[in-house]
Amino acid sequence: MASQLASLAFAALLLGTAQPAAALLRVVASTPDVADMAQQIGGDRIEVVTIAQGSQDPHKVPVKPSFVTKLNRADAVVVNGLGLEHAFLPALLEVASNPKVLPTGPGYIDASIYIQPLEVPSSQNRSQGELHPLGNPHFSLDPVRGKAMAKAIAEGLTRVDPPGAERYQSGLAHFETLLDAKIAEWEQLAAPLRGVKAVSYHQDLVYLADRYGLQMVDTIETKPGVPATPGHLEQLIDTMKREQVKLVIREVAYEMPLAQTVAERTGAQVATISAMAGGLPGTAGYVESIEANLKALVAAVRAAPGQ
Ligand SMILES: [Zn+2]
């Protein structure tokens, strides 16, 4: 019996050496959203590692050395784009010394190529706290724009790995079908948001507001990346009272107490959403994340006085 087992183990070992598993395409994704899209499109042809975590502020993701090795060995890097990864990706890529995945390389897959940027500033100066110098990079919060991201990712994977073209095409088609069905469902779900005035913590709701008819009045941050000053908060509270704003949107990466204070002083409701997939419980996937955000917004609107 023992010898039988031993020979079986030996045979398995031989089989293992004779038929190595097909090498997976090594993909590093900057955010959980593009990671999920890439995984849905690439299926078992690719292996995805994600840098940012859903509950983090994408503008403040820490640079971890462990990602340097992963980027060094990567066949492709998938990014949200439009500068969202400025806090961590350029620095990591600089030391990873892998020309394939540099922005100029064939393995750099930019999910923003089909996005028409909104809120493009007339002057570009990060030193003044401007975190969105190329326009607002938070387009993934709108699922219709999410579809455009998936298309860009599928094309990028095909470019890097032409023999996988069929897989990427069918993966994209499957994801688009799923998303289309959800987008139709979400139109109904989000109907109560139309015409609702809101403030958010960070200026990241422009694309979602554009899709579902929210009216973004102001932000708790003085401007993107610049914390609220007492002066700005007083002005914000005055504006909210004057404009009868009943919804404060707090992204999970930002502190709750300040959002709560603003809501209490204006009689508004707080909705907690996440700017990236995985920030709220049970939302590891892109579709789950969009749905959880919309449900949280609708629940807060329903709970708001006078709605
Ligand atoms: Zn931002």
Side-chain angles (χ1 to χ4, degrees), residues 57-59 84 86 131-132 136-138 202-204 221 224-225 254:
D57 173 355
H59 296 297
L84 185 71
H86 67 92
L131 286 181
H132 301 161
N136 196 303
H138 301 283
H202 182 67
Q203 200 168 318
D204 51 11
E221 281 186 314
Y254 295 90

Side-chain angles (χ1 to χ4, degrees), residues 4-296:
Q4 259 177 343
L5 273 180
S7 57
L8 205 64
F10 185 58
L13 196 70
L14 278 183
L15 207 66
T17 0
Q19 297 180 322
L24 298 173
L25 195 76
R26 283 172 295 204
V27 176
V28 175
S30 63
T31 71
D33 301 78
V34 292
D36 180 54
M37 289 176 185
Q39 193 66 74
Q40 303 260 356
I41 293 163
D44 56 11
R45 238 190 126 78
I46 71 172
E47 180 184 64
V48 185
V49 172
T50 314
I51 298 178
Q53 288 164 21
S55 58
Q56 289 173 326
D57 173 355
H59 296 297
K60 289 186 182 162
V61 173
V63 177
K64 282 197 196 149
S66 58
F67 287 110
V68 171
T69 323
K70 288 179 176 119
L71 283 167
N72 176 262
R73 294 182 190 149
D75 299 305
V77 167
V78 183
V79 305
N80 174 94
L82 222 59
L84 185 71
E85 294 88 353
H86 67 92
F88 58 100
L89 197 62
L92 286 170
L93 285 176
E94 201 182 309
V95 280
S97 51
N98 180 353
K100 265 194 303 191
V101 298
L102 288 177
T104 46
Y108 190 86
I109 302 174
D110 183 345
S112 75
I113 55 170
Y114 296 119
I115 305 293
Q116 185 71 47
L118 298 178
E119 299 180 342
V120 181
S122 46
S123 72
Q124 303 190 351
N125 191 349
R126 277 199 208 277
S127 66
Q128 289 174 6
E130 181 52 83
L131 286 181
H132 301 161
L134 306 174
N136 196 303
H138 301 283
F139 45 82
S140 67
L141 288 168
D142 166 23
V144 175
R145 288 174 173 93
K147 243 180 95 175
M149 294 170 72
K151 175 173 148 64
I153 293 170
E155 287 175 2
L157 289 171
T158 307
R159 181 181 67 233
V160 179
D161 175 28
E166 212 171 300
R167 161 70 233 193
Y168 302 133
Q169 205 170 14
S170 70
L172 175 66
H174 189 264
F175 186 64
E176 285 178 333
T177 306
L178 169 74
L179 210 47
D180 278 337
K182 280 293 179 181
I183 286 168
E185 225 180 280
W186 292 333
E187 272 298 321
Q188 307 287 318
L189 171 70
L193 303 182
R194 203 150 287 279
V196 170
K197 290 179 179 173
V199 304
S200 56
Y201 207 112
H202 182 67
Q203 200 168 318
D204 51 11
L205 271 293
V206 58
Y207 300 95
L208 186 145
D210 174 52
R211 182 66 48 208
Y212 296 111
L214 277 174
Q215 290 180 32
M216 301 312 296
V217 172
D218 205 342
T219 57
I220 293 179
E221 281 186 314
T222 304
K223 53 186 197 166
V226 180
T229 59
H232 171 70
L233 281 178
E234 288 314 311
Q235 213 170 33
L236 173 72
I237 286 162
D238 283 350
T239 308
M240 286 178 68
K241 284 178 178 166
R242 194 177 59 244
E243 304 247 345
Q244 300 190 316
V245 177
K246 297 291 177 218
L247 181 61
V248 174
I249 303 171
R250 171 233 165 193
E251 305 81 347
V252 76
Y254 295 90
E255 54 170 324
M256 184 56 153
L258 189 51
Q260 199 65 56
T261 303
V262 170
E264 274 163 16
R265 288 192 51 193
T266 55
Q269 283 287 322
V270 178
T272 295
I273 67 160
S274 181
M276 293 191 284
L280 298 177
T283 64
Y286 179 70
V287 165
E288 291 81 4
S289 178
I290 297 289
E291 186 151 305
N293 283 346
L294 292 176
K295 281 184 174 166

